Amino acid sequence: RFDNAGVKAVEVSSNFPLVKKITVNRFTGLPSLNVSGCLYLEELDLRGCTSLTTVSFAEGGKISKVYLPVNFQNLVLVGLP
């Protein structure tokens, strides 16, 4: 099984503003993910990102599906449909 434990940061916010789906699986060392610049993001899959504590979404974005790691404890959505 492939493990991305060494990855500590993934920058997608300003690089992919039109992306609709992001899958980031088993990045076990990733503490946070900022997708606030992805206004058209509809689906985000973060299963297996066991160190993840923070996800920042685009205010007013189109997100409709989010898959979180089993240990994720707090999710706050602001300004989303």
mmCIF file with all atom_site columns, all heavy atoms in Angstrom, residues 31-47:
data_model
loop_
_atom_site.group_PDB
_atom_site.id
_atom_site.type_symbol
_atom_site.label_atom_id
_atom_site.label_alt_id
_atom_site.label_comp_id
_atom_site.label_asym_id
_atom_site.label_entity_id
_atom_site.label_seq_id
_atom_site.pdbx_PDB_ins_code
_atom_site.Cartn_x
_atom_site.Cartn_y
_atom_site.Cartn_z
_atom_site.occupancy
_atom_site.B_iso_or_equiv
_atom_site.pdbx_formal_charge
_atom_site.auth_seq_id
_atom_site.auth_comp_id
_atom_site.auth_asym_id
_atom_site.auth_atom_id
_atom_site.pdbx_PDB_model_num
ATOM 1   N N   . PRO A 1 31 ? -1.239  18.149 7.479   1.00 0.00 ? 31 PRO A N   1
ATOM 2   C CA  . PRO A 1 31 ? -2.020  18.708 8.584   1.00 0.00 ? 31 PRO A CA  1
ATOM 3   C C   . PRO A 1 31 ? -3.198  19.574 8.144   1.00 0.00 ? 31 PRO A C   1
ATOM 4   O O   . PRO A 1 31 ? -4.177  19.708 8.865   1.00 0.00 ? 31 PRO A O   1
ATOM 5   C CB  . PRO A 1 31 ? -0.997  19.544 9.350   1.00 0.00 ? 31 PRO A CB  1
ATOM 6   C CG  . PRO A 1 31 ? -0.009  19.965 8.313   1.00 0.00 ? 31 PRO A CG  1
ATOM 7   C CD  . PRO A 1 31 ? 0.027   18.838 7.305   1.00 0.00 ? 31 PRO A CD  1
ATOM 8   N N   . SER A 1 32 ? -3.101  20.169 6.959   1.00 0.00 ? 32 SER A N   1
ATOM 9   C CA  . SER A 1 32 ? -4.172  21.054 6.506   1.00 0.00 ? 32 SER A CA  1
ATOM 10  C C   . SER A 1 32 ? -4.197  21.121 4.989   1.00 0.00 ? 32 SER A C   1
ATOM 11  O O   . SER A 1 32 ? -3.224  20.775 4.323   1.00 0.00 ? 32 SER A O   1
ATOM 12  C CB  . SER A 1 32 ? -3.989  22.466 7.079   1.00 0.00 ? 32 SER A CB  1
ATOM 13  O OG  . SER A 1 32 ? -2.802  23.041 6.579   1.00 0.00 ? 32 SER A OG  1
ATOM 14  N N   . LEU A 1 33 ? -5.334  21.573 4.467   1.00 0.00 ? 33 LEU A N   1
ATOM 15  C CA  . LEU A 1 33 ? -5.491  21.732 3.025   1.00 0.00 ? 33 LEU A CA  1
ATOM 16  C C   . LEU A 1 33 ? -6.334  22.966 2.767   1.00 0.00 ? 33 LEU A C   1
ATOM 17  O O   . LEU A 1 33 ? -7.401  23.134 3.358   1.00 0.00 ? 33 LEU A O   1
ATOM 18  C CB  . LEU A 1 33 ? -6.162  20.505 2.404   1.00 0.00 ? 33 LEU A CB  1
ATOM 19  C CG  . LEU A 1 33 ? -6.316  20.542 0.883   1.00 0.00 ? 33 LEU A CG  1
ATOM 20  C CD1 . LEU A 1 33 ? -4.953  20.496 0.201   1.00 0.00 ? 33 LEU A CD1 1
ATOM 21  C CD2 . LEU A 1 33 ? -7.164  19.380 0.402   1.00 0.00 ? 33 LEU A CD2 1
ATOM 22  N N   . ASN A 1 34 ? -5.836  23.830 1.899   1.00 0.00 ? 34 ASN A N   1
ATOM 23  C CA  . ASN A 1 34 ? -6.534  25.066 1.558   1.00 0.00 ? 34 ASN A CA  1
ATOM 24  C C   . ASN A 1 34 ? -7.022  24.978 0.114   1.00 0.00 ? 34 ASN A C   1
ATOM 25  O O   . ASN A 1 34 ? -6.224  24.971 -0.816  1.00 0.00 ? 34 ASN A O   1
ATOM 26  C CB  . ASN A 1 34 ? -5.605  26.263 1.731   1.00 0.00 ? 34 ASN A CB  1
ATOM 27  C CG  . ASN A 1 34 ? -6.278  27.578 1.444   1.00 0.00 ? 34 ASN A CG  1
ATOM 28  O OD1 . ASN A 1 34 ? -7.416  27.634 0.997   1.00 0.00 ? 34 ASN A OD1 1
ATOM 29  N ND2 . ASN A 1 34 ? -5.573  28.655 1.693   1.00 0.00 ? 34 ASN A ND2 1
ATOM 30  N N   . VAL A 1 35 ? -8.333  24.887 -0.048  1.00 0.00 ? 35 VAL A N   1
ATOM 31  C CA  . VAL A 1 35 ? -8.929  24.875 -1.378  1.00 0.00 ? 35 VAL A CA  1
ATOM 32  C C   . VAL A 1 35 ? -9.836  26.096 -1.555  1.00 0.00 ? 35 VAL A C   1
ATOM 33  O O   . VAL A 1 35 ? -10.777 26.082 -2.337  1.00 0.00 ? 35 VAL A O   1
ATOM 34  C CB  . VAL A 1 35 ? -9.697  23.556 -1.661  1.00 0.00 ? 35 VAL A CB  1
ATOM 35  C CG1 . VAL A 1 35 ? -8.738  22.387 -1.754  1.00 0.00 ? 35 VAL A CG1 1
ATOM 36  C CG2 . VAL A 1 35 ? -10.764 23.291 -0.616  1.00 0.00 ? 35 VAL A CG2 1
ATOM 37  N N   . SER A 1 36 ? -9.535  27.157 -0.813  1.00 0.00 ? 36 SER A N   1
ATOM 38  C CA  . SER A 1 36 ? -10.384 28.354 -0.813  1.00 0.00 ? 36 SER A CA  1
ATOM 39  C C   . SER A 1 36 ? -10.384 29.098 -2.143  1.00 0.00 ? 36 SER A C   1
ATOM 40  O O   . SER A 1 36 ? -11.278 29.891 -2.410  1.00 0.00 ? 36 SER A O   1
ATOM 41  C CB  . SER A 1 36 ? -9.974  29.306 0.309   1.00 0.00 ? 36 SER A CB  1
ATOM 42  O OG  . SER A 1 36 ? -8.655  29.764 0.119   1.00 0.00 ? 36 SER A OG  1
ATOM 43  N N   . GLY A 1 37 ? -9.410  28.837 -2.993  1.00 0.00 ? 37 GLY A N   1
ATOM 44  C CA  . GLY A 1 37 ? -9.372  29.465 -4.302  1.00 0.00 ? 37 GLY A CA  1
ATOM 45  C C   . GLY A 1 37 ? -10.044 28.640 -5.384  1.00 0.00 ? 37 GLY A C   1
ATOM 46  O O   . GLY A 1 37 ? -10.089 29.037 -6.545  1.00 0.00 ? 37 GLY A O   1
ATOM 47  N N   . CYS A 1 38 ? -10.591 27.491 -5.020  1.00 0.00 ? 38 CYS A N   1
ATOM 48  C CA  . CYS A 1 38 ? -11.228 26.588 -5.985  1.00 0.00 ? 38 CYS A CA  1
ATOM 49  C C   . CYS A 1 38 ? -12.745 26.800 -5.938  1.00 0.00 ? 38 CYS A C   1
ATOM 50  O O   . CYS A 1 38 ? -13.486 26.007 -5.346  1.00 0.00 ? 38 CYS A O   1
ATOM 51  C CB  . CYS A 1 38 ? -10.876 25.139 -5.651  1.00 0.00 ? 38 CYS A CB  1
ATOM 52  S SG  . CYS A 1 38 ? -9.103  24.804 -5.652  1.00 0.00 ? 38 CYS A SG  1
ATOM 53  N N   . LEU A 1 39 ? -13.197 27.851 -6.560  1.00 0.00 ? 39 LEU A N   1
ATOM 54  C CA  . LEU A 1 39 ? -14.612 28.238 -6.495  1.00 0.00 ? 39 LEU A CA  1
ATOM 55  C C   . LEU A 1 39 ? -15.558 27.227 -7.112  1.00 0.00 ? 39 LEU A C   1
ATOM 56  O O   . LEU A 1 39 ? -16.722 27.149 -6.749  1.00 0.00 ? 39 LEU A O   1
ATOM 57  C CB  . LEU A 1 39 ? -14.812 29.591 -7.166  1.00 0.00 ? 39 LEU A CB  1
ATOM 58  C CG  . LEU A 1 39 ? -14.124 30.771 -6.489  1.00 0.00 ? 39 LEU A CG  1
ATOM 59  C CD1 . LEU A 1 39 ? -14.248 32.020 -7.347  1.00 0.00 ? 39 LEU A CD1 1
ATOM 60  C CD2 . LEU A 1 39 ? -14.713 31.006 -5.118  1.00 0.00 ? 39 LEU A CD2 1
ATOM 61  N N   . TYR A 1 40 ? -15.084 26.425 -8.055  1.00 0.00 ? 40 TYR A N   1
ATOM 62  C CA  . TYR A 1 40 ? -15.939 25.476 -8.758  1.00 0.00 ? 40 TYR A CA  1
ATOM 63  C C   . TYR A 1 40 ? -15.799 24.049 -8.231  1.00 0.00 ? 40 TYR A C   1
ATOM 64  O O   . TYR A 1 40 ? -16.377 23.123 -8.789  1.00 0.00 ? 40 TYR A O   1
ATOM 65  C CB  . TYR A 1 40 ? -15.665 25.536 -10.258 1.00 0.00 ? 40 TYR A CB  1
ATOM 66  C CG  . TYR A 1 40 ? -16.018 26.882 -10.824 1.00 0.00 ? 40 TYR A CG  1
ATOM 67  C CD1 . TYR A 1 40 ? -15.057 27.871 -10.986 1.00 0.00 ? 40 TYR A CD1 1
ATOM 68  C CD2 . TYR A 1 40 ? -17.334 27.184 -11.150 1.00 0.00 ? 40 TYR A CD2 1
ATOM 69  C CE1 . TYR A 1 40 ? -15.396 29.123 -11.477 1.00 0.00 ? 40 TYR A CE1 1
ATOM 70  C CE2 . TYR A 1 40 ? -17.672 28.433 -11.639 1.00 0.00 ? 40 TYR A CE2 1
ATOM 71  C CZ  . TYR A 1 40 ? -16.705 29.396 -11.799 1.00 0.00 ? 40 TYR A CZ  1
ATOM 72  O OH  . TYR A 1 40 ? -17.044 30.635 -12.273 1.00 0.00 ? 40 TYR A OH  1
ATOM 73  N N   . LEU A 1 41 ? -15.044 23.869 -7.158  1.00 0.00 ? 41 LEU A N   1
ATOM 74  C CA  . LEU A 1 41 ? -14.843 22.549 -6.580  1.00 0.00 ? 41 LEU A CA  1
ATOM 75  C C   . LEU A 1 41 ? -16.172 21.968 -6.102  1.00 0.00 ? 41 LEU A C   1
ATOM 76  O O   . LEU A 1 41 ? -16.893 22.595 -5.324  1.00 0.00 ? 41 LEU A O   1
ATOM 77  C CB  . LEU A 1 41 ? -13.858 22.620 -5.412  1.00 0.00 ? 41 LEU A CB  1
ATOM 78  C CG  . LEU A 1 41 ? -13.479 21.287 -4.777  1.00 0.00 ? 41 LEU A CG  1
ATOM 79  C CD1 . LEU A 1 41 ? -12.718 20.411 -5.774  1.00 0.00 ? 41 LEU A CD1 1
ATOM 80  C CD2 . LEU A 1 41 ? -12.638 21.526 -3.530  1.00 0.00 ? 41 LEU A CD2 1
ATOM 81  N N   . GLU A 1 42 ? -16.504 20.772 -6.578  1.00 0.00 ? 42 GLU A N   1
ATOM 82  C CA  . GLU A 1 42 ? -17.749 20.100 -6.210  1.00 0.00 ? 42 GLU A CA  1
ATOM 83  C C   . GLU A 1 42 ? -17.505 18.906 -5.300  1.00 0.00 ? 42 GLU A C   1
ATOM 84  O O   . GLU A 1 42 ? -18.360 18.561 -4.492  1.00 0.00 ? 42 GLU A O   1
ATOM 85  C CB  . GLU A 1 42 ? -18.480 19.631 -7.472  1.00 0.00 ? 42 GLU A CB  1
ATOM 86  C CG  . GLU A 1 42 ? -18.928 20.765 -8.364  1.00 0.00 ? 42 GLU A CG  1
ATOM 87  C CD  . GLU A 1 42 ? -19.518 20.298 -9.685  1.00 0.00 ? 42 GLU A CD  1
ATOM 88  O OE1 . GLU A 1 42 ? -19.563 19.066 -9.929  1.00 0.00 ? 42 GLU A OE1 1
ATOM 89  O OE2 . GLU A 1 42 ? -19.914 21.156 -10.483 1.00 0.00 ? 42 GLU A OE2 1
ATOM 90  N N   . GLU A 1 43 ? -16.340 18.263 -5.436  1.00 0.00 ? 43 GLU A N   1
ATOM 91  C CA  . GLU A 1 43 ? -16.070 17.047 -4.667  1.00 0.00 ? 43 GLU A CA  1
ATOM 92  C C   . GLU A 1 43 ? -14.626 17.040 -4.170  1.00 0.00 ? 43 GLU A C   1
ATOM 93  O O   . GLU A 1 43 ? -13.704 17.311 -4.932  1.00 0.00 ? 43 GLU A O   1
ATOM 94  C CB  . GLU A 1 43 ? -16.330 15.820 -5.539  1.00 0.00 ? 43 GLU A CB  1
ATOM 95  C CG  . GLU A 1 43 ? -16.183 14.512 -4.819  1.00 0.00 ? 43 GLU A CG  1
ATOM 96  C CD  . GLU A 1 43 ? -16.585 13.326 -5.683  1.00 0.00 ? 43 GLU A CD  1
ATOM 97  O OE1 . GLU A 1 43 ? -17.510 13.467 -6.518  1.00 0.00 ? 43 GLU A OE1 1
ATOM 98  O OE2 . GLU A 1 43 ? -15.989 12.252 -5.517  1.00 0.00 ? 43 GLU A OE2 1
ATOM 99  N N   . LEU A 1 44 ? -14.459 16.699 -2.888  1.00 0.00 ? 44 LEU A N   1
ATOM 100 C CA  . LEU A 1 44 ? -13.138 16.637 -2.273  1.00 0.00 ? 44 LEU A CA  1
ATOM 101 C C   . LEU A 1 44 ? -13.028 15.329 -1.498  1.00 0.00 ? 44 LEU A C   1
ATOM 102 O O   . LEU A 1 44 ? -13.833 15.051 -0.613  1.00 0.00 ? 44 LEU A O   1
ATOM 103 C CB  . LEU A 1 44 ? -12.939 17.827 -1.329  1.00 0.00 ? 44 LEU A CB  1
ATOM 104 C CG  . LEU A 1 44 ? -11.597 17.923 -0.614  1.00 0.00 ? 44 LEU A CG  1
ATOM 105 C CD1 . LEU A 1 44 ? -10.451 18.065 -1.611  1.00 0.00 ? 44 LEU A CD1 1
ATOM 106 C CD2 . LEU A 1 44 ? -11.607 19.097 0.354   1.00 0.00 ? 44 LEU A CD2 1
ATOM 107 N N   . ASP A 1 45 ? -12.029 14.516 -1.828  1.00 0.00 ? 45 ASP A N   1
ATOM 108 C CA  . ASP A 1 45 ? -11.828 13.220 -1.188  1.00 0.00 ? 45 ASP A CA  1
ATOM 109 C C   . ASP A 1 45 ? -10.508 13.245 -0.426  1.00 0.00 ? 45 ASP A C   1
ATOM 110 O O   . ASP A 1 45 ? -9.443  13.320 -1.023  1.00 0.00 ? 45 ASP A O   1
ATOM 111 C CB  . ASP A 1 45 ? -11.823 12.116 -2.233  1.00 0.00 ? 45 ASP A CB  1
ATOM 112 C CG  . ASP A 1 45 ? -11.785 10.722 -1.633  1.00 0.00 ? 45 ASP A CG  1
ATOM 113 O OD1 . ASP A 1 45 ? -11.523 10.587 -0.418  1.00 0.00 ? 45 ASP A OD1 1
ATOM 114 O OD2 . ASP A 1 45 ? -12.023 9.767  -2.386  1.00 0.00 ? 45 ASP A OD2 1
ATOM 115 N N   . LEU A 1 46 ? -10.604 13.191 0.898   1.00 0.00 ? 46 LEU A N   1
ATOM 116 C CA  . LEU A 1 46 ? -9.431  13.256 1.771   1.00 0.00 ? 46 LEU A CA  1
ATOM 117 C C   . LEU A 1 46 ? -9.300  12.011 2.641   1.00 0.00 ? 46 LEU A C   1
ATOM 118 O O   . LEU A 1 46 ? -8.656  12.041 3.688   1.00 0.00 ? 46 LEU A O   1
ATOM 119 C CB  . LEU A 1 46 ? -9.526  14.506 2.657   1.00 0.00 ? 46 LEU A CB  1
ATOM 120 C CG  . LEU A 1 46 ? -9.584  15.825 1.894   1.00 0.00 ? 46 LEU A CG  1
ATOM 121 C CD1 . LEU A 1 46 ? -9.947  16.966 2.820   1.00 0.00 ? 46 LEU A CD1 1
ATOM 122 C CD2 . LEU A 1 46 ? -8.261  16.094 1.207   1.00 0.00 ? 46 LEU A CD2 1
ATOM 123 N N   . ARG A 1 47 ? -9.899  10.920 2.243   1.00 0.00 ? 47 ARG A N   1
ATOM 124 C CA  . ARG A 1 47 ? -9.841  9.697  3.032   1.00 0.00 ? 47 ARG A CA  1
ATOM 125 C C   . ARG A 1 47 ? -8.400  9.233  3.215   1.00 0.00 ? 47 ARG A C   1
ATOM 126 O O   . ARG A 1 47 ? -7.617  9.262  2.278   1.00 0.00 ? 47 ARG A O   1
ATOM 127 C CB  . ARG A 1 47 ? -10.675 8.603  2.381   1.00 0.00 ? 47 ARG A CB  1
ATOM 128 C CG  . ARG A 1 47 ? -12.155 8.885  2.480   1.00 0.00 ? 47 ARG A CG  1
ATOM 129 C CD  . ARG A 1 47 ? -12.965 7.842  1.785   1.00 0.00 ? 47 ARG A CD  1
ATOM 130 N NE  . ARG A 1 47 ? -13.018 8.148  0.356   1.00 0.00 ? 47 ARG A NE  1
ATOM 131 C CZ  . ARG A 1 47 ? -13.945 7.696  -0.462  1.00 0.00 ? 47 ARG A CZ  1
ATOM 132 N NH1 . ARG A 1 47 ? -14.879 6.887  -0.019  1.00 0.00 ? 47 ARG A NH1 1
ATOM 133 N NH2 . ARG A 1 47 ? -13.932 8.029  -1.730  1.00 0.00 ? 47 ARG A NH2 1
#
